[in-house]
Amino acid sequence: MNAKETDGRTGRTGVAVVTGAGSGIGRAVTCELLRAGWSVALAGRRAEALEETAEAVSAAGAEADGESGGEWLVVPTDVSRPAHVEALFAATVGRFGRVDLLFNNAGTSGPGGVPVEELPYEAWRHVVDTNLNGAFLCAQAAYRQMKGQTPQGGRIINNGSVSAHVPRPRSVAYTATKHALTGLTKSLALDGRPYRIAVGQIDIGNAATEMTERMRTGVLQANGEIAPEPVMDVADVARTVRHMAELPLEANVQFATVLATGMPYVGRG
């Protein structure tokens, strides 16, 4: 399947790989892209969760305009394992012929609320392997494919976090990996220029998913208090990712921050 250009109302579409597609932001972005006419490879560790997304994707595909609406592929994948990532991209290219977009979304927060001096090394390593090493492996595989395909090029969007800017208390592993992801984004963006590979990052704060449900009842703040925080509709995140994805490769959103308007992030909260 070749990348195609649609009219100016919908922008570029093509073939996307979405990691962490089994829930939350990954599921919302998968459905949004498919409704816009993208073909999507769904990647994630839990096959049953991917199948649940596929059901939603199938329903979304019925509403999509164009011949590519409704095309999807489920590929159970542990992004921290190089062989799994290689198989993911091989399956995607085997089915659709190319890769135009990678949404590098898979991630884990690790054990929450654990003081740094008590964090087990195994927990630290799991977060690093998923959030940073997994993002690198997927970006590397996408880069190789995008560089070699005809027409050349594509786009990588990394899911950062507002934690790529400021930490929450007792979140050292998650925060460290999200800061590192910003460096990965910048380096990939620079190295991709000669090959029409555009790389950007979306930093998300308090999208309403299973992971952020606790925000509504109260989470630890920097001053030691427990306080509820506002959340935003995850569909608003998905639409932002789609906007970034559908720009021509000559244009790039290098960094975008999308957050619940009232969350304690800017100033004193």
Side-chain angles (χ1 to χ4, degrees), residues 103-143:
F103 181 44
N104 232 342
N105 170 68
T108 180
S109 58
V114 179
V116 61
E117 69 274 16
E118 298 177 12
L119 183 69
Y121 174 72
E122 293 76 13
W124 164 273
R125 181 62 184 270
H126 175 65
V127 175
V128 172
D129 280 345
T130 303
N131 295 4
L132 180 57
N133 294 341
F136 164 73
L137 289 170
C138 290
Q140 183 183 56
Y143 189 100

PDB file of all heavy atoms in Angstrom, residues 103-143:
ATOM      1  N   PHE A 103       3.647   6.202  15.968  1.00  0.00           N
ATOM      2  CA  PHE A 103       3.300   6.885  17.209  1.00  0.00           C
ATOM      3  C   PHE A 103       3.900   6.061  18.338  1.00  0.00           C
ATOM      4  O   PHE A 103       3.394   5.010  18.702  1.00  0.00           O
ATOM      5  CB  PHE A 103       1.788   7.030  17.369  1.00  0.00           C
ATOM      6  CG  PHE A 103       1.381   7.759  18.627  1.00  0.00           C
ATOM      7  CD1 PHE A 103       2.044   8.907  19.033  1.00  0.00           C
ATOM      8  CD2 PHE A 103       0.323   7.294  19.408  1.00  0.00           C
ATOM      9  CE1 PHE A 103       1.674   9.573  20.192  1.00  0.00           C
ATOM     10  CE2 PHE A 103      -0.060   7.959  20.561  1.00  0.00           C
ATOM     11  CZ  PHE A 103       0.620   9.101  20.960  1.00  0.00           C
ATOM     12  N   ASN A 104       5.003   6.538  18.865  1.00  0.00           N
ATOM     13  CA  ASN A 104       5.784   5.847  19.887  1.00  0.00           C
ATOM     14  C   ASN A 104       5.137   6.116  21.242  1.00  0.00           C
ATOM     15  O   ASN A 104       5.527   7.028  21.976  1.00  0.00           O
ATOM     16  CB  ASN A 104       7.217   6.396  19.870  1.00  0.00           C
ATOM     17  CG  ASN A 104       8.265   5.313  19.758  1.00  0.00           C
ATOM     18  OD1 ASN A 104       8.006   4.141  20.018  1.00  0.00           O
ATOM     19  ND2 ASN A 104       9.469   5.707  19.390  1.00  0.00           N
ATOM     20  N   ASN A 105       4.150   5.309  21.586  1.00  0.00           N
ATOM     21  CA  ASN A 105       3.274   5.612  22.713  1.00  0.00           C
ATOM     22  C   ASN A 105       3.433   4.663  23.894  1.00  0.00           C
ATOM     23  O   ASN A 105       3.081   5.016  25.020  1.00  0.00           O
ATOM     24  CB  ASN A 105       1.823   5.580  22.219  1.00  0.00           C
ATOM     25  CG  ASN A 105       0.812   5.653  23.330  1.00  0.00           C
ATOM     26  OD1 ASN A 105       0.678   6.667  23.999  1.00  0.00           O
ATOM     27  ND2 ASN A 105       0.086   4.554  23.538  1.00  0.00           N
ATOM     28  N   ALA A 106       3.938   3.455  23.675  1.00  0.00           N
ATOM     29  CA  ALA A 106       4.016   2.462  24.755  1.00  0.00           C
ATOM     30  C   ALA A 106       4.830   2.998  25.928  1.00  0.00           C
ATOM     31  O   ALA A 106       5.894   3.591  25.748  1.00  0.00           O
ATOM     32  CB  ALA A 106       4.633   1.166  24.235  1.00  0.00           C
ATOM     33  N   GLY A 107       4.307   2.790  27.139  1.00  0.00           N
ATOM     34  CA  GLY A 107       5.027   3.272  28.311  1.00  0.00           C
ATOM     35  C   GLY A 107       4.416   2.753  29.591  1.00  0.00           C
ATOM     36  O   GLY A 107       3.300   2.239  29.607  1.00  0.00           O
ATOM     37  N   THR A 108       5.159   2.894  30.659  1.00  0.00           N
ATOM     38  CA  THR A 108       4.690   2.499  31.984  1.00  0.00           C
ATOM     39  C   THR A 108       5.185   3.514  33.001  1.00  0.00           C
ATOM     40  O   THR A 108       6.272   4.082  32.850  1.00  0.00           O
ATOM     41  CB  THR A 108       5.181   1.094  32.358  1.00  0.00           C
ATOM     42  OG1 THR A 108       4.702   0.753  33.664  1.00  0.00           O
ATOM     43  CG2 THR A 108       6.701   1.004  32.359  1.00  0.00           C
ATOM     44  N   SER A 109       4.384   3.744  34.032  1.00  0.00           N
ATOM     45  CA  SER A 109       4.793   4.681  35.080  1.00  0.00           C
ATOM     46  C   SER A 109       5.593   3.998  36.171  1.00  0.00           C
ATOM     47  O   SER A 109       6.229   4.656  36.992  1.00  0.00           O
ATOM     48  CB  SER A 109       3.563   5.352  35.704  1.00  0.00           C
ATOM     49  OG  SER A 109       2.685   4.370  36.246  1.00  0.00           O
ATOM     50  N   GLY A 110       5.553   2.657  36.195  1.00  0.00           N
ATOM     51  CA  GLY A 110       6.252   1.940  37.259  1.00  0.00           C
ATOM     52  C   GLY A 110       5.493   2.037  38.567  1.00  0.00           C
ATOM     53  O   GLY A 110       4.378   2.566  38.617  1.00  0.00           O
ATOM     54  N   PRO A 111       6.080   1.552  39.653  1.00  0.00           N
ATOM     55  CA  PRO A 111       5.397   1.613  40.951  1.00  0.00           C
ATOM     56  C   PRO A 111       5.253   3.057  41.411  1.00  0.00           C
ATOM     57  O   PRO A 111       6.237   3.790  41.510  1.00  0.00           O
ATOM     58  CB  PRO A 111       6.327   0.813  41.879  1.00  0.00           C
ATOM     59  CG  PRO A 111       7.668   0.873  41.224  1.00  0.00           C
ATOM     60  CD  PRO A 111       7.411   0.915  39.746  1.00  0.00           C
ATOM     61  N   GLY A 112       4.040   3.477  41.661  1.00  0.00           N
ATOM     62  CA  GLY A 112       3.791   4.855  42.046  1.00  0.00           C
ATOM     63  C   GLY A 112       4.022   5.108  43.524  1.00  0.00           C
ATOM     64  O   GLY A 112       3.806   4.233  44.362  1.00  0.00           O
ATOM     65  N   GLY A 113       4.474   6.305  43.837  1.00  0.00           N
ATOM     66  CA  GLY A 113       4.594   6.729  45.219  1.00  0.00           C
ATOM     67  C   GLY A 113       5.718   6.101  46.010  1.00  0.00           C
ATOM     68  O   GLY A 113       5.719   6.151  47.248  1.00  0.00           O
ATOM     69  N   VAL A 114       6.713   5.512  45.337  1.00  0.00           N
ATOM     70  CA  VAL A 114       7.831   4.857  46.029  1.00  0.00           C
ATOM     71  C   VAL A 114       8.983   5.845  46.163  1.00  0.00           C
ATOM     72  O   VAL A 114       9.453   6.388  45.164  1.00  0.00           O
ATOM     73  CB  VAL A 114       8.292   3.604  45.261  1.00  0.00           C
ATOM     74  CG1 VAL A 114       9.469   2.956  45.974  1.00  0.00           C
ATOM     75  CG2 VAL A 114       7.148   2.616  45.108  1.00  0.00           C
ATOM     76  N   PRO A 115       9.462   6.097  47.378  1.00  0.00           N
ATOM     77  CA  PRO A 115      10.612   6.991  47.541  1.00  0.00           C
ATOM     78  C   PRO A 115      11.818   6.458  46.782  1.00  0.00           C
ATOM     79  O   PRO A 115      11.995   5.246  46.637  1.00  0.00           O
ATOM     80  CB  PRO A 115      10.862   6.981  49.056  1.00  0.00           C
ATOM     81  CG  PRO A 115       9.568   6.540  49.655  1.00  0.00           C
ATOM     82  CD  PRO A 115       8.961   5.601  48.672  1.00  0.00           C
ATOM     83  N   VAL A 116      12.650   7.356  46.302  1.00  0.00           N
ATOM     84  CA  VAL A 116      13.778   6.956  45.463  1.00  0.00           C
ATOM     85  C   VAL A 116      14.682   5.952  46.163  1.00  0.00           C
ATOM     86  O   VAL A 116      15.207   5.017  45.549  1.00  0.00           O
ATOM     87  CB  VAL A 116      14.573   8.196  45.002  1.00  0.00           C
ATOM     88  CG1 VAL A 116      15.151   8.972  46.174  1.00  0.00           C
ATOM     89  CG2 VAL A 116      15.661   7.796  44.015  1.00  0.00           C
ATOM     90  N   GLU A 117      14.851   6.122  47.478  1.00  0.00           N
ATOM     91  CA  GLU A 117      15.766   5.224  48.195  1.00  0.00           C
ATOM     92  C   GLU A 117      15.196   3.823  48.365  1.00  0.00           C
ATOM     93  O   GLU A 117      15.933   2.889  48.716  1.00  0.00           O
ATOM     94  CB  GLU A 117      16.125   5.815  49.568  1.00  0.00           C
ATOM     95  CG  GLU A 117      15.004   5.854  50.594  1.00  0.00           C
ATOM     96  CD  GLU A 117      14.140   7.101  50.486  1.00  0.00           C
ATOM     97  OE1 GLU A 117      14.220   7.790  49.434  1.00  0.00           O
ATOM     98  OE2 GLU A 117      13.400   7.390  51.442  1.00  0.00           O
ATOM     99  N   GLU A 118      13.911   3.646  48.085  1.00  0.00           N
ATOM    100  CA  GLU A 118      13.275   2.333  48.224  1.00  0.00           C
ATOM    101  C   GLU A 118      12.907   1.701  46.881  1.00  0.00           C
ATOM    102  O   GLU A 118      12.395   0.582  46.843  1.00  0.00           O
ATOM    103  CB  GLU A 118      12.008   2.465  49.082  1.00  0.00           C
ATOM    104  CG  GLU A 118      12.277   2.941  50.499  1.00  0.00           C
ATOM    105  CD  GLU A 118      11.003   3.134  51.305  1.00  0.00           C
ATOM    106  OE1 GLU A 118       9.930   2.682  50.836  1.00  0.00           O
ATOM    107  OE2 GLU A 118      11.060   3.753  52.383  1.00  0.00           O
ATOM    108  N   LEU A 119      13.185   2.398  45.785  1.00  0.00           N
ATOM    109  CA  LEU A 119      12.797   1.879  44.478  1.00  0.00           C
ATOM    110  C   LEU A 119      13.686   0.703  44.082  1.00  0.00           C
ATOM    111  O   LEU A 119      14.900   0.856  43.964  1.00  0.00           O
ATOM    112  CB  LEU A 119      12.919   2.990  43.422  1.00  0.00           C
ATOM    113  CG  LEU A 119      12.470   2.621  42.009  1.00  0.00           C
ATOM    114  CD1 LEU A 119      10.963   2.437  41.957  1.00  0.00           C
ATOM    115  CD2 LEU A 119      12.912   3.693  41.006  1.00  0.00           C
ATOM    116  N   PRO A 120      13.116  -0.476  43.867  1.00  0.00           N
ATOM    117  CA  PRO A 120      13.929  -1.625  43.466  1.00  0.00           C
ATOM    118  C   PRO A 120      14.555  -1.396  42.091  1.00  0.00           C
ATOM    119  O   PRO A 120      13.927  -0.801  41.205  1.00  0.00           O
ATOM    120  CB  PRO A 120      12.922  -2.785  43.412  1.00  0.00           C
ATOM    121  CG  PRO A 120      11.740  -2.319  44.200  1.00  0.00           C
ATOM    122  CD  PRO A 120      11.692  -0.832  44.036  1.00  0.00           C
ATOM    123  N   TYR A 121      15.756  -1.884  41.914  1.00  0.00           N
ATOM    124  CA  TYR A 121      16.422  -1.728  40.627  1.00  0.00           C
ATOM    125  C   TYR A 121      15.608  -2.368  39.511  1.00  0.00           C
ATOM    126  O   TYR A 121      15.544  -1.832  38.392  1.00  0.00           O
ATOM    127  CB  TYR A 121      17.821  -2.354  40.662  1.00  0.00           C
ATOM    128  CG  TYR A 121      18.492  -2.333  39.309  1.00  0.00           C
ATOM    129  CD1 TYR A 121      18.959  -1.138  38.761  1.00  0.00           C
ATOM    130  CD2 TYR A 121      18.623  -3.504  38.559  1.00  0.00           C
ATOM    131  CE1 TYR A 121      19.548  -1.106  37.507  1.00  0.00           C
ATOM    132  CE2 TYR A 121      19.214  -3.480  37.310  1.00  0.00           C
ATOM    133  CZ  TYR A 121      19.684  -2.279  36.785  1.00  0.00           C
ATOM    134  OH  TYR A 121      20.265  -2.264  35.546  1.00  0.00           O
ATOM    135  N   GLU A 122      14.966  -3.501  39.811  1.00  0.00           N
ATOM    136  CA  GLU A 122      14.174  -4.181  38.786  1.00  0.00           C
ATOM    137  C   GLU A 122      13.036  -3.288  38.292  1.00  0.00           C
ATOM    138  O   GLU A 122      12.699  -3.301  37.107  1.00  0.00           O
ATOM    139  CB  GLU A 122      13.606  -5.491  39.343  1.00  0.00           C
ATOM    140  CG  GLU A 122      14.645  -6.549  39.641  1.00  0.00           C
ATOM    141  CD  GLU A 122      15.422  -6.282  40.923  1.00  0.00           C
ATOM    142  OE1 GLU A 122      14.988  -5.405  41.720  1.00  0.00           O
ATOM    143  OE2 GLU A 122      16.472  -6.926  41.123  1.00  0.00           O
ATOM    144  N   ALA A 123      12.444  -2.512  39.203  1.00  0.00           N
ATOM    145  CA  ALA A 123      11.370  -1.601  38.805  1.00  0.00           C
ATOM    146  C   ALA A 123      11.924  -0.469  37.947  1.00  0.00           C
ATOM    147  O   ALA A 123      11.316  -0.087  36.937  1.00  0.00           O
ATOM    148  CB  ALA A 123      10.674  -1.044  40.043  1.00  0.00           C
ATOM    149  N   TRP A 124      13.058   0.087  38.360  1.00  0.00           N
ATOM    150  CA  TRP A 124      13.720   1.126  37.558  1.00  0.00           C
ATOM    151  C   TRP A 124      14.014   0.606  36.153  1.00  0.00           C
ATOM    152  O   TRP A 124      13.721   1.252  35.157  1.00  0.00           O
ATOM    153  CB  TRP A 124      15.006   1.564  38.241  1.00  0.00           C
ATOM    154  CG  TRP A 124      15.958   2.332  37.366  1.00  0.00           C
ATOM    155  CD1 TRP A 124      16.920   1.819  36.553  1.00  0.00           C
ATOM    156  CD2 TRP A 124      16.019   3.760  37.215  1.00  0.00           C
ATOM    157  NE1 TRP A 124      17.588   2.829  35.903  1.00  0.00           N
ATOM    158  CE2 TRP A 124      17.064   4.023  36.287  1.00  0.00           C
ATOM    159  CE3 TRP A 124      15.316   4.827  37.776  1.00  0.00           C
ATOM    160  CZ2 TRP A 124      17.407   5.317  35.897  1.00  0.00           C
ATOM    161  CZ3 TRP A 124      15.662   6.118  37.382  1.00  0.00           C
ATOM    162  CH2 TRP A 124      16.693   6.349  36.458  1.00  0.00           C
ATOM    163  N   ARG A 125      14.587  -0.596  36.089  1.00  0.00           N
ATOM    164  CA  ARG A 125      14.980  -1.163  34.802  1.00  0.00           C
ATOM    165  C   ARG A 125      13.768  -1.420  33.904  1.00  0.00           C
ATOM    166  O   ARG A 125      13.833  -1.199  32.682  1.00  0.00           O
ATOM    167  CB  ARG A 125      15.747  -2.469  35.034  1.00  0.00           C
ATOM    168  CG  ARG A 125      16.254  -3.163  33.776  1.00  0.00           C
ATOM    169  CD  ARG A 125      17.246  -2.297  33.023  1.00  0.00           C
ATOM    170  NE  ARG A 125      17.656  -2.932  31.787  1.00  0.00           N
ATOM    171  CZ  ARG A 125      18.710  -3.752  31.686  1.00  0.00           C
ATOM    172  NH1 ARG A 125      19.460  -4.022  32.752  1.00  0.00           N
ATOM    173  NH2 ARG A 125      19.028  -4.289  30.526  1.00  0.00           N
ATOM    174  N   HIS A 126      12.664  -1.853  34.483  1.00  0.00           N
ATOM    175  CA  HIS A 126      11.459  -2.108  33.690  1.00  0.00           C
ATOM    176  C   HIS A 126      10.949  -0.825  33.046  1.00  0.00           C
ATOM    177  O   HIS A 126      10.566  -0.822  31.861  1.00  0.00           O
ATOM    178  CB  HIS A 126      10.367  -2.717  34.564  1.00  0.00           C
ATOM    179  CG  HIS A 126       9.060  -2.906  33.866  1.00  0.00           C
ATOM    180  ND1 HIS A 126       8.895  -3.768  32.806  1.00  0.00           N
ATOM    181  CD2 HIS A 126       7.848  -2.320  34.067  1.00  0.00           C
ATOM    182  CE1 HIS A 126       7.644  -3.718  32.374  1.00  0.00           C
ATOM    183  NE2 HIS A 126       6.987  -2.841  33.119  1.00  0.00           N
ATOM    184  N   VAL A 127      10.943   0.267  33.799  1.00  0.00           N
ATOM    185  CA  VAL A 127      10.482   1.545  33.252  1.00  0.00           C
ATOM    186  C   VAL A 127      11.428   2.022  32.150  1.00  0.00           C
ATOM    187  O   VAL A 127      10.984   2.464  31.081  1.00  0.00           O
ATOM    188  CB  VAL A 127      10.360   2.601  34.365  1.00  0.00           C
ATOM    189  CG1 VAL A 127       9.992   3.965  33.782  1.00  0.00           C
ATOM    190  CG2 VAL A 127       9.322   2.179  35.394  1.00  0.00           C
ATOM    191  N   VAL A 128      12.730   1.916  32.385  1.00  0.00           N
ATOM    192  CA  VAL A 128      13.706   2.338  31.372  1.00  0.00           C
ATOM    193  C   VAL A 128      13.599   1.480  30.116  1.00  0.00           C
ATOM    194  O   VAL A 128      13.617   1.987  28.991  1.00  0.00           O
ATOM    195  CB  VAL A 128      15.133   2.296  31.947  1.00  0.00           C
ATOM    196  CG1 VAL A 128      16.170   2.548  30.845  1.00  0.00           C
ATOM    197  CG2 VAL A 128      15.299   3.324  33.059  1.00  0.00           C
ATOM    198  N   ASP A 129      13.456   0.175  30.296  1.00  0.00           N
ATOM    199  CA  ASP A 129      13.367  -0.728  29.143  1.00  0.00           C
ATOM    200  C   ASP A 129      12.134  -0.421  28.293  1.00  0.00           C
ATOM    201  O   ASP A 129      12.188  -0.483  27.061  1.00  0.00           O
ATOM    202  CB  ASP A 129      13.316  -2.185  29.604  1.00  0.00           C
ATOM    203  CG  ASP A 129      14.686  -2.739  29.953  1.00  0.00           C
ATOM    204  OD1 ASP A 129      15.691  -2.113  29.569  1.00  0.00           O
ATOM    205  OD2 ASP A 129      14.754  -3.795  30.598  1.00  0.00           O
ATOM    206  N   THR A 130      11.026  -0.097  28.934  1.00  0.00           N
ATOM    207  CA  THR A 130       9.790   0.162  28.194  1.00  0.00           C
ATOM    208  C   THR A 130       9.771   1.566  27.611  1.00  0.00           C
ATOM    209  O   THR A 130       9.580   1.757  26.399  1.00  0.00           O
ATOM    210  CB  THR A 130       8.570  -0.036  29.116  1.00  0.00           C
ATOM    211  OG1 THR A 130       8.591  -1.353  29.660  1.00  0.00           O
ATOM    212  CG2 THR A 130       7.277   0.175  28.336  1.00  0.00           C
ATOM    213  N   ASN A 131       9.970   2.563  28.449  1.00  0.00           N
ATOM    214  CA  ASN A 131       9.767   3.949  28.034  1.00  0.00           C
ATOM    215  C   ASN A 131      10.879   4.489  27.135  1.00  0.00           C
ATOM    216  O   ASN A 131      10.604   5.258  26.206  1.00  0.00           O
ATOM    217  CB  ASN A 131       9.651   4.857  29.255  1.00  0.00           C
ATOM    218  CG  ASN A 131       8.430   4.567  30.090  1.00  0.00           C
ATOM    219  OD1 ASN A 131       7.675   3.633  29.823  1.00  0.00           O
ATOM    220  ND2 ASN A 131       8.224   5.363  31.127  1.00  0.00           N
ATOM    221  N   LEU A 132      12.111   4.097  27.413  1.00  0.00           N
ATOM    222  CA  LEU A 132      13.239   4.649  26.665  1.00  0.00           C
ATOM    223  C   LEU A 132      13.793   3.651  25.656  1.00  0.00           C
ATOM    224  O   LEU A 132      13.851   3.942  24.460  1.00  0.00           O
ATOM    225  CB  LEU A 132      14.341   5.096  27.631  1.00  0.00           C
ATOM    226  CG  LEU A 132      15.590   5.702  26.974  1.00  0.00           C
ATOM    227  CD1 LEU A 132      15.221   6.908  26.104  1.00  0.00           C
ATOM    228  CD2 LEU A 132      16.613   6.091  28.036  1.00  0.00           C
ATOM    229  N   ASN A 133      14.185   2.477  26.114  1.00  0.00           N
ATOM    230  CA  ASN A 133      14.740   1.494  25.184  1.00  0.00           C
ATOM    231  C   ASN A 133      13.703   1.071  24.146  1.00  0.00           C
ATOM    232  O   ASN A 133      14.018   0.912  22.967  1.00  0.00           O
ATOM    233  CB  ASN A 133      15.263   0.275  25.942  1.00  0.00           C
ATOM    234  CG  ASN A 133      16.457   0.606  26.820  1.00  0.00           C
ATOM    235  OD1 ASN A 133      17.113   1.627  26.628  1.00  0.00           O
ATOM    236  ND2 ASN A 133      16.733  -0.239  27.798  1.00  0.00           N
ATOM    237  N   GLY A 134      12.448   0.891  24.582  1.00  0.00           N
ATOM    238  CA  GLY A 134      11.400   0.525  23.647  1.00  0.00           C
ATOM    239  C   GLY A 134      11.163   1.607  22.615  1.00  0.00           C
ATOM    240  O   GLY A 134      10.972   1.322  21.420  1.00  0.00           O
ATOM    241  N   ALA A 135      11.168   2.858  23.049  1.00  0.00           N
ATOM    242  CA  ALA A 135      10.982   3.970  22.108  1.00  0.00           C
ATOM    243  C   ALA A 135      12.128   4.021  21.108  1.00  0.00           C
ATOM    244  O   ALA A 135      11.916   4.263  19.907  1.00  0.00           O
ATOM    245  CB  ALA A 135      10.880   5.292  22.874  1.00  0.00           C
ATOM    246  N   PHE A 136      13.350   3.795  21.581  1.00  0.00           N
ATOM    247  CA  PHE A 136      14.492   3.783  20.672  1.00  0.00           C
ATOM    248  C   PHE A 136      14.389   2.657  19.657  1.00  0.00           C
ATOM    249  O   PHE A 136      14.595   2.861  18.446  1.00  0.00           O
ATOM    250  CB  PHE A 136      15.802   3.639  21.448  1.00  0.00           C
ATOM    251  CG  PHE A 136      16.957   3.230  20.571  1.00  0.00           C
ATOM    252  CD1 PHE A 136      17.531   4.139  19.689  1.00  0.00           C
ATOM    253  CD2 PHE A 136      17.434   1.932  20.589  1.00  0.00           C
ATOM    254  CE1 PHE A 136      18.583   3.752  18.853  1.00  0.00           C
ATOM    255  CE2 PHE A 136      18.475   1.535  19.763  1.00  0.00           C
ATOM    256  CZ  PHE A 136      19.051   2.452  18.887  1.00  0.00           C
ATOM    257  N   LEU A 137      14.078   1.450  20.117  1.00  0.00           N
ATOM    258  CA  LEU A 137      14.009   0.306  19.205  1.00  0.00           C
ATOM    259  C   LEU A 137      12.958   0.515  18.126  1.00  0.00           C
ATOM    260  O   LEU A 137      13.190   0.226  16.944  1.00  0.00           O
ATOM    261  CB  LEU A 137      13.713  -0.972  19.992  1.00  0.00           C
ATOM    262  CG  LEU A 137      14.840  -1.498  20.879  1.00  0.00           C
ATOM    263  CD1 LEU A 137      14.327  -2.622  21.768  1.00  0.00           C
ATOM    264  CD2 LEU A 137      16.020  -1.979  20.036  1.00  0.00           C
ATOM    265  N   CYS A 138      11.793   1.028  18.513  1.00  0.00           N
ATOM    266  CA  CYS A 138      10.740   1.272  17.526  1.00  0.00           C
ATOM    267  C   CYS A 138      11.131   2.390  16.571  1.00  0.00           C
ATOM    268  O   CYS A 138      10.893   2.298  15.355  1.00  0.00           O
ATOM    269  CB  CYS A 138       9.424   1.589  18.222  1.00  0.00           C
ATOM    270  SG  CYS A 138       8.684   0.179  19.074  1.00  0.00           S
ATOM    271  N   ALA A 139      11.727   3.456  17.102  1.00  0.00           N
ATOM    272  CA  ALA A 139      12.167   4.550  16.237  1.00  0.00           C
ATOM    273  C   ALA A 139      13.246   4.076  15.272  1.00  0.00           C
ATOM    274  O   ALA A 139      13.254   4.466  14.091  1.00  0.00           O
ATOM    275  CB  ALA A 139      12.674   5.712  17.077  1.00  0.00           C
ATOM    276  N   GLN A 140      14.154   3.261  15.746  1.00  0.00           N
ATOM    277  CA  GLN A 140      15.220   2.741  14.885  1.00  0.00           C
ATOM    278  C   GLN A 140      14.646   1.902  13.750  1.00  0.00           C
ATOM    279  O   GLN A 140      15.043   2.049  12.583  1.00  0.00           O
ATOM    280  CB  GLN A 140      16.199   1.907  15.709  1.00  0.00           C
ATOM    281  CG  GLN A 140      17.384   1.391  14.915  1.00  0.00           C
ATOM    282  CD  GLN A 140      18.291   0.516  15.756  1.00  0.00           C
ATOM    283  OE1 GLN A 140      17.849  -0.474  16.338  1.00  0.00           O
ATOM    284  NE2 GLN A 140      19.563   0.887  15.836  1.00  0.00           N
ATOM    285  N   ALA A 141      13.691   1.029  14.082  1.00  0.00           N
ATOM    286  CA  ALA A 141      13.063   0.193  13.056  1.00  0.00           C
ATOM    287  C   ALA A 141      12.290   1.045  12.060  1.00  0.00           C
ATOM    288  O   ALA A 141      12.332   0.805  10.843  1.00  0.00           O
ATOM    289  CB  ALA A 141      12.149  -0.838  13.701  1.00  0.00           C
ATOM    290  N   ALA A 142      11.559   2.046  12.567  1.00  0.00           N
ATOM    291  CA  ALA A 142      10.820   2.938  11.675  1.00  0.00           C
ATOM    292  C   ALA A 142      11.768   3.725  10.787  1.00  0.00           C
ATOM    293  O   ALA A 142      11.523   3.896   9.580  1.00  0.00           O
ATOM    294  CB  ALA A 142       9.955   3.896  12.499  1.00  0.00           C
ATOM    295  N   TYR A 143      12.850   4.209  11.366  1.00  0.00           N
ATOM    296  CA  TYR A 143      13.842   4.987  10.626  1.00  0.00           C
ATOM    297  C   TYR A 143      14.417   4.164   9.471  1.00  0.00           C
ATOM    298  O   TYR A 143      14.517   4.647   8.333  1.00  0.00           O
ATOM    299  CB  TYR A 143      14.953   5.399  11.596  1.00  0.00           C
ATOM    300  CG  TYR A 143      15.958   6.393  11.056  1.00  0.00           C
ATOM    301  CD1 TYR A 143      15.875   7.739  11.376  1.00  0.00           C
ATOM    302  CD2 TYR A 143      17.003   5.974  10.236  1.00  0.00           C
ATOM    303  CE1 TYR A 143      16.799   8.647  10.902  1.00  0.00           C
ATOM    304  CE2 TYR A 143      17.933   6.883   9.760  1.00  0.00           C
ATOM    305  CZ  TYR A 143      17.833   8.213  10.090  1.00  0.00           C
ATOM    306  OH  TYR A 143      18.750   9.107   9.611  1.00  0.00           O
TER     307      TYR A 143
END
